[in-house]
Amino acid sequence: MKLGMQDHVDVAAGVQDEIDIAFEANAIAFYAQISGLAKDKIGYPIRELSTNAWDASRGNFEVHLPTGLNPVFRVRDFGPGMSPDDMRNVYARLYASTKRATNDQVGGWGLGSKSPFAYLIGADGAGSYNVTSYHGGMMRAYVLSLASDGKPKMRLLAELPSDEPTGIDVSFPVRREDIHMFNVRAKQILWSFNPRPTITPSPEWPESEVSSAGEGWTWYKDSTVPFDGPHVRMGCVMYPIDLRQIENTGFLHYTDTVLFDAPIGSLKVTLSREELAYDENTKTTLKNLVASFEQNFITQVRAKVVAAKSLFEACSVFEKEQEELGRSRLERLRGQIKWNGHDLTTTIVKIDFKTCMLRAGWQTFDKFEDMGVSTSWAADATVVIEHSPSYSLSRFMIAQLVGKKVLWVRCKRVNREATLFRLGNPENVIELDTFKVPVTQRRGKTIRKRRTLVVGSSGLQKVTQDVDLADGGEYIEETYSGGHGRRRRHDSYYYVSGRSMSLYDLDQVVADCVRLGIMTVGQTFLVKSGDSEVPENWTELDLVSDLKAKIDPTYVSELHNKAQLDSNLKVWASSRMIEKQPADIKSFWLGLVKVHRAIAAKGGVKVRTNTDIAVEALKRMGISVEVRRAEDPTIAIESEYACLCRKYPLLRSIVNRAGYYTFDADTWRQLNHYLGLLVAAGEAEAAPTADMEVDEEEDDSLDQAA
């Protein structure tokens, strides 16, 4: 691995002598660099020897763990092995390495091959360890130990021809009291190796459970991996991350079992390679990894939420992320992630409606009990909405809902659309009111003859018929202009949307509502006297919001009244075009013809669009709505005509001689002669030489304008 050592400025000006500062090769120095350097005396040689083998053969190596019968730790790789020169000049030297020119290998400090000394050097002296190199058809066996003066020595024991596969074999004895810990630490360290070596005896690896994963990171469920908190893996070695050392938003928590993967060479490690060295490059790499993880994780959660088929399912998906995020971080995300514009809540937010839970397997109930309902519980429940709170159990039976998991929603009919919106507009909502209970099964005295207004094809009809108040619906309140009881007068008025209307005006408004699709023929309304009461499942008819919804605010209405052209101008517009005339008069005449034809085509009949109908219906109810209307084109035409008459003084007197329907012969000759003189005298621009008659194409454009 490239260690990224910086170049230094050599300050040598004015020196008289130069002395190299060097390491003295003695027992103290060696102890400090090997045994004194490592905190974990057992884990250090396991990690370093296994990393060297991984570098040499990318997983094609063996690790033999110590047992009671064979208390030896051994690593055998099947890489290229090392020549005698490499063994002498690299393996036997501190800080000598062949890996610093590339980021394809993890090592580089030149200390890993001497790591067994960290374990072997103890209070009772030091043991030795064996290294065998298989290279070039030869086997060379070495022993590394401390001499009597404490200095390390590497001695060649044997050199023989061999047909064994190439590679390096390193082994050293393990004290019996450390056998168990060697097995534990090897299991923890080698877990992050990919690919892993062949291990004897084979450990029982825990089944790692992945909660979520993204590019460069994997989040594991707690207790399913042999580490706690965020770690980063570089190559095959895994290091804990100290979040206090890097700039972060706090989204990644120190308890999150997230494993990041960083490119080899992007992180600086300590000399013992037990921890990260938090230089600027390392901090930047970790900061970017953590920031990318946060954005990637939030994007994944948002994608899962958006893919949900209902608001409740989206809330349930969001809640499941709590297992990793925890409640506090989950709350931070609520403002960033929504489902179709809806907030993701833990319970259903109730506004103008009530909710009741019926768990799977239910058989009966006494009454509707308003209660809080969690959104995750409702994710797989059948949504049932009810407006008329009567015969509910019978309706559930008719709808074959008994025993099913049900979210029972009750609201006034006028609040139905708003209620469904707050529930996320779920699909396949069951309208409980549509299931009618047979009269023979109904109890009480809710059915009786009542006055109603029925929407007919030719207006409202007064019908007295059987009405069950338990069914619910819409009512219209009836009032009278004077008198009480039997003395009251017959000129009744009706309150609709809080406004008093005569039956005639109400008829017209209802007819407009039928045209707009707001009402349908056959729709029935209960007539409520001012002093009577109706159950809460009946709501007053309100048409204002529905009518306003039919108005297009960008629409410009047509002319509502027949525009009146000056009679002489109408005659001129009905005549043929003069052969020669100034360009401005010709332009005016073409515009005059277009307006004249538009007015004639309308014939004084109002053109009524949905916006016009809705505006007029609201006007009958005493509600004024501003709508942009088209300007009267005759105003501009007559203004232009006045300007022409000032420019050409004889024009008005000649045109005004016109007859009632058309120009007479004298008037036509005078107008033709006058306009010809204007052209000849050059008082206006020359007229086009093309045929002055309105051709078919121009005639079509005028018709379209009309």
Side-chain angles (χ1 to χ4, degrees):
M1 177 182 70
K2 296 179 180 180
L3 298 181
M5 304 303 292
Q6 297 179 348
D7 294 331
H8 302 279
V9 178
D10 186 5
V11 183
V15 299
Q16 299 182 13
D17 191 12
E18 185 174 277
I19 303 170
D20 289 336
I21 298 176
F23 289 96
E24 182 175 338
N26 55 41
I28 295 176
F30 184 74
Y31 175 85
Q33 294 299 309
I34 300 299
S35 183
L37 187 68
K39 300 176 183 178
D40 183 359
K41 309 299 184 185
I42 293 176
Y44 183 47
I46 294 174
R47 181 181 62 254
E48 294 304 303
L49 295 180
S50 299
T51 300
N52 284 343
W54 190 85
D55 280 340
S57 56
R58 277 299 188 273
N60 185 20
F61 67 100
E62 299 174 351
V63 174
H64 296 265
L65 301 177
T67 64
L69 297 177
N70 184 24
V72 173
F73 179 78
R74 174 171 167 259
V75 177
R76 166 71 157 100
D77 71 61
F78 298 96
M82 299 185 74
S83 67
D85 288 341
D86 288 338
M87 291 296 297
R88 178 184 297 276
N89 299 321
V90 179
Y91 203 93
R93 292 182 180 274
L94 293 177
Y95 301 111
S97 176
T98 60
K99 305 177 182 179
R100 294 172 187 160
T102 177
N103 280 329
D104 292 334
Q105 296 176 309
V106 180
W109 283 118
L111 297 176
S113 60
K114 278 68 72 175
S115 60
F117 279 122
Y119 172 74
L120 296 172
I121 297 176
D124 55 350
S128 61
Y129 66 99
N130 300 311
V131 179
T132 302
S133 175
Y134 299 94
H135 178 80
M138 298 294 292
M139 181 278 293
R140 297 177 181 86
Y142 302 87
V143 62
L144 283 80
S145 62
L146 298 183
S148 58
D149 59 358
K151 293 183 179 181
K153 301 289 184 181
M154 185 177 75
R155 299 180 176 93
L156 178 64
L157 297 181
E159 184 176 15
L160 299 170
S162 174
D163 57 0
E164 286 285 320
T166 60
I168 297 290
D169 188 314
V170 183
S171 63
F172 60 87
V174 173
R175 293 182 285 273
R176 291 192 176 275
E177 63 270 22
D178 294 332
I179 290 176
H180 173 70
M181 187 53 64
F182 260 86
N183 282 265
V184 171
R185 292 295 289 127
K187 188 175 178 180
Q188 295 171 339
I189 292 170
L190 296 175
W191 180 89
S192 64
F193 280 57
N194 185 22
R196 290 174 185 157
T198 301
I199 305 174
T200 307
S202 179
E204 294 183 3
W205 299 101
E207 186 66 30
S208 302
E209 297 184 35
V210 177
S211 297
S212 55
E215 184 177 354
W217 60 273
T218 306
W219 195 333
Y220 295 95
K221 290 189 176 181
D222 295 341
S223 303
T224 66
V225 290
F227 68 93
D228 296 312
H231 280 60
V232 61
R233 175 170 55 190
M234 185 170 63
C236 59
V237 184
M238 187 170 60
Y239 305 94
I241 299 176
D242 185 355
L243 293 176
R244 296 170 298 179
Q245 300 290 338
I246 63 173
E247 180 183 344
N248 64 92
T249 64
F251 183 82
L252 179 65
H253 197 260
Y254 71 92
T255 61
D256 295 335
T257 50
V258 180
L259 178 61
F260 297 93
D261 280 296
I264 298 174
S266 63
L267 303 174
K268 187 70 71 66
V269 298
T270 60
L271 199 57
S272 65
R273 299 211 308 177
E274 294 174 299
E275 298 174 330
L276 295 172
Y278 291 91
D279 66 343
E280 290 305 315
N281 289 336
T282 299
K283 290 181 180 180
T284 299
T285 298
L286 294 176
K287 175 184 174 181
N288 293 337
L289 286 174
V290 171
S292 177
F293 153 77
E294 179 176 346
Q295 293 302 317
N296 192 217
F297 181 83
I298 294 174
T299 299
Q300 287 188 12
V301 175
R302 182 179 289 112
K304 294 177 184 177
V305 167
V306 171
K309 296 180 180 179
S310 68
L311 172 60
F312 301 144
E313 181 184 343
C315 292
S316 179
V317 169
F318 189 71
E319 287 296 317
K320 288 180 180 178
E321 301 302 327
Q322 179 188 347
E323 299 176 7
E324 290 80 24
L325 290 179
R327 178 61 59 184
S328 60
R329 284 184 293 174
L330 194 68
E331 292 302 322
R332 288 173 55 186
L333 289 185
R334 290 193 189 277
Q336 302 182 43
I337 301 177
K338 296 181 182 295
W339 183 85
N340 288 351
H342 291 273
D343 293 330
L344 304 176
T345 58
T346 55
T347 57
I348 298 175
V349 179
K350 297 182 291 183
I351 301 177
D352 296 329
F353 67 93
K354 301 175 182 178
T355 55
C356 179
M357 297 165 45
L358 297 178
R359 301 185 181 277
W362 68 275
Q363 295 299 316
T364 186
F365 53 80
D366 293 331
K367 61 180 180 178
F368 180 97
E369 296 182 8
D370 186 23
M371 62 184 71
V373 179
S374 70
T375 49
S376 58
W377 180 91
D380 59 344
T382 300
V383 181
V384 174
I385 190 167
E386 181 183 40
H387 311 298
S388 174
S390 60
Y391 311 120
S392 298
L393 182 57
S394 298
R395 288 172 172 172
F396 271 104
M397 292 178 179
I398 296 172
Q400 298 182 351
L401 294 172
V402 176
K404 292 185 178 181
K405 184 178 181 181
V406 172
L407 172 63
W408 186 4
V409 180
R410 182 174 285 177
C411 69
K412 293 183 178 180
R413 196 177 301 274
V414 70
N415 296 327
R416 177 184 180 278
E417 297 303 322
T419 297
L420 291 177
F421 172 77
R422 292 188 178 96
L423 298 176
N425 291 319
E427 297 181 356
N428 303 321
V429 176
I430 296 179
E431 298 276 355
L432 200 61
D433 295 342
T434 61
F435 296 91
K436 300 299 182 181
V437 180
V439 176
T440 56
Q441 298 180 19
R442 302 187 187 185
R443 301 182 304 274
K445 299 180 179 179
T446 59
I447 303 176
R448 59 181 247 186
K449 296 287 185 182
R450 301 180 188 275
R451 292 184 302 122
T452 63
L453 291 175
V454 181
V455 179
S457 57
S458 59
L460 285 172
Q461 300 175 1
K462 296 182 178 181
V463 179
T464 301
Q465 57 181 313
D466 287 331
V467 176
D468 189 351
L469 289 180
D471 285 341
E474 293 178 298
Y475 69 85
I476 300 175
E477 185 174 345
E478 182 184 33
T479 60
Y480 297 89
S481 59
H484 298 280
R486 294 182 179 180
R487 294 183 179 180
R488 60 192 178 187
R489 294 169 55 184
H490 293 288
D491 49 344
S492 57
Y493 287 81
Y494 299 89
Y495 275 103
V496 177
S497 303
R499 291 161 176 83
S500 178
M501 303 176 63
S502 66
L503 182 59
Y504 173 79
D505 285 334
L506 181 57
D507 256 343
Q508 298 302 312
V509 170
V510 169
D512 287 339
C513 288
V514 171
R515 293 188 187 96
L516 295 173
I518 297 174
M519 291 183 181
T520 58
V521 174
Q523 192 168 349
T524 302
F525 304 101
L526 176 67
V527 176
K528 173 186 173 298
S529 300
D531 55 354
S532 63
E533 297 292 336
V534 294
E536 64 175 10
N537 57 319
W538 287 84
T539 56
E540 183 181 1
L541 176 62
D542 184 8
L543 298 175
V544 174
S545 57
D546 289 334
L547 286 170
K548 286 185 175 180
K550 296 294 183 179
I551 296 175
D552 181 1
T554 64
Y555 169 73
V556 178
S557 68
E558 296 288 345
L559 290 174
H560 281 249
N561 297 315
K562 181 179 178 180
Q564 295 294 331
L565 271 173
D566 179 81
S567 59
N568 300 110
L569 289 179
K570 282 195 292 184
V571 172
W572 188 12
S574 302
S575 303
R576 67 182 187 273
M577 183 180 288
I578 302 299
E579 182 178 356
K580 291 183 179 181
Q581 59 183 321
D584 52 356
I585 294 180
K586 176 187 176 183
S587 175
F588 166 76
W589 185 82
L590 292 174
L592 176 64
V593 172
K594 185 183 296 183
V595 171
H596 175 62
R597 292 184 178 180
I599 295 174
K602 284 172 54 66
V605 179
K606 294 183 179 180
V607 178
R608 303 185 72 207
T609 64
N610 284 350
T611 297
D612 297 323
I613 295 172
V615 169
E616 291 176 13
L618 288 169
K619 185 177 180 180
R620 286 185 179 276
M621 298 173 64
I623 300 173
S624 177
V625 179
E626 291 295 329
V627 179
R628 294 186 300 162
R629 299 185 183 276
E631 295 181 358
D632 187 343
T634 61
I635 297 175
I637 284 291
E638 291 176 352
S639 176
E640 186 178 355
Y641 179 59
C643 292
L644 288 175
C645 290
R646 286 193 295 271
K647 184 176 180 180
Y648 307 111
L650 294 179
L651 181 63
R652 186 186 298 275
S653 61
I654 295 174
V655 171
N656 286 350
R657 291 186 59 188
Y660 189 75
Y661 295 107
T662 184
F663 287 149
D664 57 26
D666 289 340
T667 302
W668 178 256
R669 283 195 300 270
Q670 289 181 9
L671 183 61
N672 193 6
H673 180 66
Y674 178 62
L675 296 181
L677 290 176
L678 291 178
V679 173
E683 294 181 9
E685 294 181 5
T689 58
D691 186 1
M692 302 300 288
E693 294 290 339
V694 180
D695 57 24
E696 293 182 1
E697 182 178 354
E698 191 174 43
D699 191 63
D700 289 342
S701 67
L702 293 176
D703 288 340
Q704 292 173 5

